[in-house]
Amino acid sequence: MNLLKAASTVSLFTLVSRVTGLVRDQLIAAQFGAGALTDAFNVAFRLPNLLRRLFAEGAFSQAFVPFLAATREREGDDATQALIDAVATVLAWVLLATCVAGIVAAPVLVWLLAAGLQAFDLAVLMARWMFPYIGFMSMVALSAGILNTWKRFAVPAFTPVLLNLSLIAAAWLGVPLFERWGLEPILVLAAGVVVGGVLQLALQVPALARIGKLPRLGLTPAGLRRAWTHPGVHRILALMAPAVLGVSVAQLSLLINTQIASHLGVGAVSWLFYADRLMEFPTALLGVALGSVLLPQLAAARGREDHEGYSGLLDWGLRLVLMLALPCAVALFVFPAPLIAVLFHYGAFTAEDVLQSAAALRGYGFGLLGLVAIKVLAPGFYARQDIRTPVRIAIGVLVATQLMNLVFVPWLGVAGLALSIGLGALANAGFLLHGLRKRGAYRPQAGWPRFALQVALACLVLTLLLHLAGSRIDWIALGAQRLERAGLMALVLIGAALAYLATLRLAGIRWRQFHRRG
């Protein structure tokens, strides 16, 4: 398996997901703007997303995927199937209890996340509607771990598209229907989230069946007892304990930032949200793609005790991070207002919303390289079943981030929150890299100084081009000329990307040097 091709496949489907996600956010921004109602939806949607990242894509995946890959490498497919059945059974029962508890406790959870909301009761109602989403997405995370271990990357990468399509349909077609029924129109988005969760889970069934790894759930108390006695379940739970703490730290930081934003005025939560959406575009396109491909490969290399191959995989991933994430960071830092204006400055989304969201996006851009690098460096620890070290680093970064908030938020407002996150991500990545090198797990291969200089030269060319395009064109004033503005943006971004790639090639970088077999 060509790892670059596999990562490119994940990136391609992730690109489709992010493009449909941007269309989704454009429709929501145009339909509802950045006011109290969208603040309520964003907070309510953040609750199941927070738990999804905490348990499903966070602690569970970090513990499950390396253990699954190692089990398959050492014990074969039969033992792996028994592990899958047991884990899926326990997970299903836990999710049922979690969803019921979340629906009951929704008022407390919303208050903890954003006590300053104006539309508090509406946020509680939408949170209750959307809480089953965590159940669907946790089972999707289980499926993704299995499929990625079997080198089937396409379906997990495409799956998020279905949520976006569901929300697009809800925002486009469902609003008039809800108005006719006498319901608050923004509730249609909560309904769209639930439908999207069902569709995403349904897509996993045929994919798992094709590789013969569809979990057999024990839906009776006796089935739960049998699953609970499997030693792999207890091992994964033991690995999850520090992982939950580590992911909790990251989500606690997000919760604190949302709480702070909810007190900065109407629209502040949404400004941070729209900047976060754009920041997540390169983070997912690059970081998630590389992390999805690398984690099972690193775990398999660890199982074979292939130390040289393990280090080589990390070096390969880090070079791609520098070459692809750094230009994206330049774009977010130098060119934020045009990006926000072209994507969201329609309908109820005002010029002030553009400027405030752009300021936050610039803060995220400052730390984007760290945010993407973490997606490569953290799996270097997870594959070794060492989750405690990233946890300790995350706790330290959380404290540092909130100390930075005390300085930056009174000075920069919402942008200060994003800048603190960006700087914290750079520190996190630096400590992870130091930890891997100290343990001897990663030894940089030859040629890094020359490679870094080549990328820096290309980024300098990119910076100059984007600065000229940002300063010579009034992107906000072009709001009435939608097609003209979108066409100009396409020309600028395509031209800047081609200039960046041409500079890399002239500097001596070739794509074939990144071809690597898994």
Side-chain angles (χ1 to χ4, degrees), residues 152-484:
R152 303 296 196 273
F153 299 105
V155 169
F158 177 78
T159 296
V161 175
L162 297 178
L163 173 65
N164 295 331
L165 294 178
S166 178
L167 281 169
I168 288 170
W172 189 15
L173 304 174
V175 170
L177 190 62
F178 270 51
E179 288 176 339
R180 194 177 310 133
W181 291 343
L183 296 173
E184 172 59 54
I186 204 166
L187 287 173
V188 74
L189 299 179
V193 168
V194 176
V195 172
V198 173
L199 294 175
Q200 289 179 91
L201 181 57
L203 182 65
Q204 312 306 307
V205 175
L208 291 171
R210 280 193 295 270
I211 63 172
K213 288 295 173 284
L214 192 64
R216 296 183 291 267
L217 299 178
L219 299 179
T220 64
L224 175 60
R225 285 193 295 272
R226 283 195 301 272
W228 184 253
T229 60
H230 192 288
V233 170
H234 295 277
R235 177 58 181 159
I236 290 171
L237 288 174
L239 291 171
M240 279 185 67
V244 167
L245 177 59
V247 182
S248 297
V249 168
Q251 297 308 312
L252 178 60
S253 180
L254 177 63
L255 187 152
I256 294 171
N257 286 345
T258 303
Q259 186 70 263
I260 294 171
S262 73
H263 291 280
L264 292 178
V266 173
V269 172
S270 294
W271 296 331
L272 196 63
F273 170 79
Y274 287 116
D276 181 77
R277 291 295 298 158
L278 262 180
M279 178 273 296
E280 285 187 354
F281 196 96
T283 303
L285 199 63
L286 304 175
V288 173
L290 288 171
S292 298
V293 171
L294 279 174
L295 180 55
Q297 297 299 314
L298 287 167
R302 176 71 173 174
R304 296 190 303 269
E305 298 186 357
D306 180 6
H307 304 300
E308 183 177 349
Y310 193 97
S311 178
L313 285 167
L314 289 171
D315 194 87
W316 174 82
L318 288 172
R319 288 179 189 249
L320 283 174
V321 166
L322 183 65
M323 188 175 69
L324 299 177
L326 190 57
C328 294
V330 166
L332 296 188
F333 187 78
V334 176
F335 205 58
L339 291 171
I340 294 287
V342 172
L343 292 171
F344 300 121
H345 186 213
Y346 306 105
F349 201 86
T350 67
E352 176 65 15
D353 294 331
V354 171
L355 295 175
Q356 293 286 355
S357 299
L361 185 58
R362 181 175 283 113
Y364 280 134
F366 197 86
L368 180 66
L369 187 63
L371 290 165
V372 177
I374 290 169
K375 303 294 185 180
V376 171
L377 293 166
F381 288 92
Y382 304 148
R384 297 164 60 87
Q385 297 184 20
D386 175 9
I387 299 178
R388 296 181 183 276
T389 300
V391 168
R392 288 195 292 267
I393 293 172
I395 292 173
V397 169
L398 170 64
V399 174
T401 299
Q402 299 312 318
L403 290 174
M404 286 188 284
N405 278 338
L406 294 176
V407 177
F408 293 140
V409 173
W411 175 32
L412 299 172
V414 172
L417 291 169
L419 180 59
S420 297
I421 292 172
L423 292 172
L426 288 173
N428 197 331
F431 285 123
L432 290 172
L433 178 61
H434 174 73
L436 288 171
R437 295 197 63 185
K438 184 178 179 181
R439 286 161 175 76
Y442 171 55
R443 297 178 298 278
Q445 295 180 352
W448 263 101
R450 173 180 169 82
F451 178 72
L453 186 62
Q454 291 167 322
V455 173
L457 177 62
C459 284
L460 178 60
V461 173
L462 180 68
T463 300
L464 293 174
L465 290 174
L466 291 179
H467 176 71
L468 286 173
S471 60
R472 298 292 179 86
I473 303 171
D474 191 342
W475 296 91
I476 295 177
L478 285 172
Q481 291 83 37
R482 297 187 179 187
L483 292 178
E484 179 183 351

